[in-house]
């Protein structure tokens, strides 16, 4: 099957949706499908052979974050040419409700079109104003996928219609084996964090406040932080006497990200809202890490209500501190949670998830559906 996939976010920036699309593309290729991905990217960016650049992205505030997207004449022309020449059996658009390539692709194409909705959202003035345009795009969809109950609920409540639930995927084998980062390693006293440091909803300030609460009574306690943001902001939030126990790596490669998961005793995800799944949890689980996460609905589901990872009260540094201390003092419990996590994460492996996505493709490409064509 010839599949065209539309990525809304800049290919050179890390993020859950972009990672999802890249992993899906590779899983489909491994299953002998022919795949082309179009994504915001500058002309001089290095891209995988299956990715086509649609022009440089610009920062746009979206869903409590700042995402890099493309939405302009150049991008529209490149999307239209890609659709016209792609000879796709099915077009798979991700996040068609945001102002980026997904909307452009919906307008440019007709035929078998599937969309995946990643984000949960609430009714807003912007959605109300844009609803006629969004509906014009949604009406072209032959199939709809949501990655979580929260994303599905948002979509159905706002726009109606039927939506298949297929969770995010993780390439489990990629994460299971790795050496810890140099100078690190599980030692019974290391907490880890991975995410955008300067994005409030990722919850790093809550973890820092909990670390400040735990640190004085635990002289060996350390904190390892990876992700984009300003390290100065991290240290300014902590007492000076704890600075030498906090390491900020900043942006890391995919290989070092995996090594970071293997370098900690407790991986903490203190996210406060806006998460429809929790891919970072799945990655940590696949790495054999012991997970401690806020008890937001998406995280509770991925962690089996606490069976595959510990939970703390969302937004409460003291609750986080108590749960982290209990985990650090109970190596047997950590090992049991990590073992449960490795079992639980198997259902999110891309070898399984990609086959579920292909079933949706097969549903919309039934006899007589034709190929994807440019909508003139």
């Amino acid at each position: 099957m010839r599949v065209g996939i539309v990525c809304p976010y800049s290919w050179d920036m890390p993020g859950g949706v972009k990672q999802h699309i890249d992993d899906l593309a590779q899983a489909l290729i491994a299953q002998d499908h022919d795949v082309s991905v179009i994504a915001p990217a500058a002309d001089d960016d290095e891209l995988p052979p299956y990715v086509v650049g649609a022009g440089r992205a610009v920062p746009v505030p979206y869903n409590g974050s700042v995402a890099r997207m493309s939405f302009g004449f150049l991008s529209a022309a490149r999307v239209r040419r890609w659709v016209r020449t792609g000879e796709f059996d099915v077009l798979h658009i991700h996040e068609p409700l945001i102002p980026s390539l997904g909307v452009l692709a919906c307008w440019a194409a007709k035929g078998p079109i599937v969309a995946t909705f990643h984000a949960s959202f609430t009714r807003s003035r912007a959605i109300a104003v844009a609803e006629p345009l969004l509906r014009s795009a949604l009406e072209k969809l032959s199939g709809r996928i949501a990655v979580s109950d929260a994303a599905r609920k948002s979509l159905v409540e706002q726009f109606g219609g039927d939506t298949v639930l297929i969770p995010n995927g993780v390439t489990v084998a990629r994460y299971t084996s790795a050496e810890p980062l140099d100078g690190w390693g599980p030692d019974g006293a290391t907490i880890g964090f991975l995410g955008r440091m300067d994005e409030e909803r990722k919850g790093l300030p809550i973890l820092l406040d909990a670390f400040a609460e735990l640190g004085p009574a635990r002289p060996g306690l350390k904190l390892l932080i990876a992700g984009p943001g300003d390290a100065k902001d991290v240290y300014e939030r902590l007492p000076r006497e704890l600075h030498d126990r906090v390491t900020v790596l900043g942006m890391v490669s995919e290989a070092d990200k995996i090594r970071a998961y293997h370098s900690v005793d407790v991986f903490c995800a203190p996210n406060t809202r806006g998460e429809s799944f929790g891919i970072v949890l799945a990655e940590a689980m696949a790495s054999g890490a012991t997970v401690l996460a806020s008890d937001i609905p998406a995280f509770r589901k991925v962690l089996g209500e606490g069976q595959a990872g510990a939970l703390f009260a969302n937004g409460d540094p003291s609750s986080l501190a108590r749960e982290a201390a209990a985990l650090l003092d109970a190596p047997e419990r950590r090992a049991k949670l990590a073992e449960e996590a490795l079992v639980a994460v198997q259902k999110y492996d891309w070898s399984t998830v990609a086959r579920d996505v292909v079933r949706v493709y097969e549903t919309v490409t039934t006899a007589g559906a034709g190929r994807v064509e440019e909508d003139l």
Side-chain angles (χ1 to χ4, degrees):
M1 185 178 294
R2 172 74 171 157
V3 182
I5 302 178
V6 182
C7 176
Y9 301 130
S10 182
W11 197 260
D12 66 349
M13 290 297 292
V17 175
K18 180 261 179 178
Q19 189 63 56
H20 173 112
I21 291 166
D22 195 12
D23 287 344
L24 172 60
Q26 293 185 52
L28 291 173
I29 291 168
Q31 294 176 13
D32 295 325
H33 297 285
D34 189 4
V35 178
S36 176
V37 178
I38 191 167
D43 291 340
D44 57 354
D45 284 350
E46 291 189 16
L47 301 173
Y50 49 86
V51 177
V52 175
R56 190 178 298 278
V58 296
V60 177
Y62 175 70
N63 197 31
S65 179
V66 176
R68 295 186 62 82
M69 312 177 193
S70 292
F71 195 84
F73 292 115
L74 173 63
S75 296
R78 291 189 177 184
V79 167
R80 191 166 282 277
R81 182 172 65 245
W82 177 76
V83 168
R84 183 171 60 250
T85 61
E87 299 184 342
F88 301 121
D89 295 301
V90 63
L91 188 64
H92 189 170
I93 296 169
H94 290 257
E95 297 288 47
L97 297 180
I98 65 173
S100 192
L101 301 187
V103 174
L104 297 176
C106 275
W107 291 340
K110 62 181 180 180
I113 304 176
V114 171
T116 290
F117 298 82
H118 295 261
S120 59
F121 55 89
T122 56
R123 186 74 175 178
S124 67
R125 183 184 299 272
I127 288 177
V129 170
E131 184 167 345
L133 289 175
L134 297 177
R135 284 194 179 277
S136 72
L138 292 178
E139 286 171 358
K140 288 192 168 185
L141 301 181
S142 311
R144 306 194 305 184
I145 298 169
V147 302
S148 69
D149 288 326
R152 183 181 184 278
K153 183 172 184 287
S154 296
L155 180 63
V156 172
E157 287 181 350
Q158 299 297 326
F159 296 99
D162 190 27
T163 305
V164 178
L165 180 61
I166 300 177
N168 273 306
V170 61
T171 306
V172 173
R174 183 188 301 163
Y175 293 88
T176 50
S177 299
E179 291 296 320
L181 294 168
D182 294 343
W184 293 87
D187 55 11
T190 303
I191 299 174
F193 170 90
L194 174 70
R196 296 173 183 168
M197 295 184 284
D198 53 359
E199 191 172 320
E200 179 269 334
R201 70 186 179 97
K202 298 301 182 183
L204 180 58
I206 298 164
L207 174 56
L208 295 176
D209 289 348
F211 189 79
E213 187 176 326
L214 285 171
R218 292 173 176 265
L221 187 66
K222 301 190 297 293
L223 180 59
L224 180 64
I225 298 172
D230 190 344
K232 180 182 177 183
D233 295 337
V234 171
Y235 293 113
E236 286 181 347
R237 195 175 182 97
L238 291 168
R240 185 172 296 276
E241 58 269 22
L242 296 180
H243 286 192
D244 63 350
R245 292 201 256 156
V246 178
T247 298
V248 179
L249 301 176
M251 286 279 291
V252 294
S253 65
E254 178 70 13
D256 281 345
K257 178 181 74 171
I258 297 170
R259 294 180 68 193
Y261 286 131
H262 286 264
S263 301
V264 303
D265 298 280
V266 174
F267 176 79
C268 185
N271 310 49
T272 60
R273 57 185 174 82
E275 302 294 338
S276 66
F277 175 76
I279 191 64
V280 70
L281 295 193
E283 291 176 352
M285 293 161 69
S287 301
T290 302
V291 173
L292 172 60
S294 56
D295 62 353
I296 60 177
F299 287 1
R300 294 184 71 95
K301 179 162 185 161
V302 173
L303 293 175
E305 299 296 325
Q307 183 174 344
L311 298 161
F312 70 91
N314 182 25
D316 186 341
S318 294
S319 175
L320 194 165
R322 287 193 300 272
E323 293 297 333
L327 286 173
L328 291 171
D329 291 339
E332 291 184 359
R333 183 184 174 213
R334 292 203 308 273
K336 178 62 175 174
L337 287 172
E339 182 181 326
E340 292 285 350
L342 277 172
V343 173
V345 79
Q346 296 301 322
K347 65 183 175 182
Y348 301 119
D349 189 75
W350 270 115
S351 61
T352 298
V353 175
R355 283 195 294 269
D356 292 339
V357 172
V358 170
R359 291 190 187 100
V360 177
Y361 295 167
E362 292 170 345
T363 299
V364 303
T365 56
T366 54
R371 280 189 161 182
V372 176
E373 298 177 352
E374 183 181 12
D375 193 359
L376 299 174

